[in-house]
């Protein structure tokens, strides 16, 4: 948590500082409010959420009248936190109480989806490591059979974090059958969590969505899909938002992983993505190493913005 705060402020996020500077003026003109909105848009907060936030802040300022810097900071903090937190449940299924019971159905299946290059495979590896660290048995499946390199990369992660990887020997094998076999094997071996990595070629959107749907259906023949995590690259901003909508409509997602937040001076997508999709950000990626994945913590995130 402390690390998250430190790293987020290190990313030199200009958003908080700029907002505070404008809002601390003694008399706010219409032009100032436009600056507030532009600042939010530039930080990738998204039009809908930016407009919403401006309206809320305007009404706060009306109620509050002239306020000192600390009071303005508090007002901004509360408004941002209300949006970023939104009372959403961020626990991963595998973490919830029912998993702790010995008679809980196994495995708990997590399907990772997202466009190539967003950090899906890396996140699958980091996630496996998180579960291993909690004493859970974990398996991964390479259901991106289109590129052999993708399965190799997942295997490298498997070796790194001590988790076995189910893959196909042939290029172009049916991704759903790899996922099916993995679910079977995970069940046979009484594995707690199965993480399924999938393909993310958006060139043929319809095919990809069909493929993901099939993976899900096939896994559900033997096991239960508890989470579908959408991996989004925080540095792609509103482009990521468009991708998110495609995946959300096609297969339904239970949570978002925002990667590369370490390399983003923007990060505003965190603020709008939940509001616009109604799906919580559950995890954030803060680097390329195996330990650079953290549970998303809204207060720490907002403090990071306002640091
Ligand atoms: P995939 O194609 O979606 O599976 O993406 P990869 O897992 O191959 O990741 C693409 C690149 O992003 C790799 O170089 C990763 O090391 C890098 N990457 C993934 N997550 C993060 C992150 O949280 N921070 C940073 N800085 N790089 C990341």
């Amino acid at each position: 948590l402390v690390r998250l705060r430190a790293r987020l402020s290190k990313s030199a996020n200009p958003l908080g500082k700029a907002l505070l500077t404008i809002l601390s003026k003694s008399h706010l003109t219409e032009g100032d409010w436009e600056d507030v909105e532009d600042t939010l848009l530039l930080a990738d907060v998204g039009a809908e959420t930016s407009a919403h936030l401006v309206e809320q802040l305007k009404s706060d300022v009306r109620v509050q009248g002239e306020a000192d810097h600390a009071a303005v900071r508090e007002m901004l903090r509360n408004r941002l936190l209300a949006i970023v937190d939104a009372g959403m449940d961020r626990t991963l299924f595998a973490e919830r109480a029912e998993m702790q019971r010995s008679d809980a159905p196994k495995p708990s299946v997590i399907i990772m989806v997202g466009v190539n290059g967003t950090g899906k495979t890396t996140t699958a590896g980091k996630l496996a490591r998180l579960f291993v660290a909690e004493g859970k048995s974990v398996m991964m499946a390479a259901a991106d059979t289109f590129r052999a390199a993708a399965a190799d990369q997942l295997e490298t992660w498997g070796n790194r974090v001590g988790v076995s990887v189910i893959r196909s020997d042939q290029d172009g094998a049916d991704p759903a059958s790899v996922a099916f076999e993995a679910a079977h094997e995970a069940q046979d071996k009484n594995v707690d969590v199965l993480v399924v990595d999938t393909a993310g070629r958006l060139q043929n959107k319809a095919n990809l969505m069909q493929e993901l749907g099939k993976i899900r259906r096939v896994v559900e023949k033997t096991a239960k899909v508890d989470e579908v995590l959408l991996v989004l690259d925080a540095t792609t901003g509103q482009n990521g938002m468009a991708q998110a909508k495609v995946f959300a409509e096609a297969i339904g997602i239970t949570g978002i992983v925002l990667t590369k937040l370490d390399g983003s001076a923007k990060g505003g997508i965190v603020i709008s993505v939940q509001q616009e999709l109604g799906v919580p950000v559950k995890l954030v990626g803060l680097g390329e190493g195996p330990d650079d994945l953290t549970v998303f913590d809204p207060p720490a995130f907002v403090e990071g913005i306002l640091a």
Side-chain angles (χ1 to χ4, degrees), residues 282-296:
K282 292 193 169 179
L283 299 160
V284 292
L286 293 167
E288 299 187 84
D291 292 318
D292 295 327
L293 183 74
T294 317
V295 171
F296 181 58

Side-chain angles (χ1 to χ4, degrees), residues 114-132:
V115 175
N116 283 342
T118 52
K120 210 172 346 122
T121 305
T122 305
T123 305
K126 291 172 178 175
L127 195 54
R129 176 167 174 110
L130 266 184
F131 289 127
V132 167

Side-chain angles (χ1 to χ4, degrees), residues 139 166-167 176-187 194 218 222:
M139 200 177 257
I166 307 298
R167 62 179 291 179
S177 75
V178 174
F180 179 74
E181 271 173 37
H184 238 291
E185 192 157 338
Q187 200 169 47
L194 170 66
V218 158
T222 22

Side-chain angles (χ1 to χ4, degrees), residues 19-20 23 28 33 36-37 40 49-65 71-80 83:
L19 291 177
L20 281 171
L23 293 169
L28 289 166
W33 285 113
V36 169
E37 189 155 3
L40 291 166
T49 308
S50 295
H52 171 71
L53 195 53
V54 165
E55 283 317 306
Q56 290 184 319
L57 292 169
K58 269 185 180 171
S59 99
D60 286 347
V61 167
R62 261 196 304 271
V63 171
Q64 213 166 42
V72 169
R73 191 181 187 286
E74 184 62 13
M75 162 189 102
L76 191 55
R77 195 190 77 90
N78 290 340
R79 286 302 187 184
L80 286 172
I83 293 178

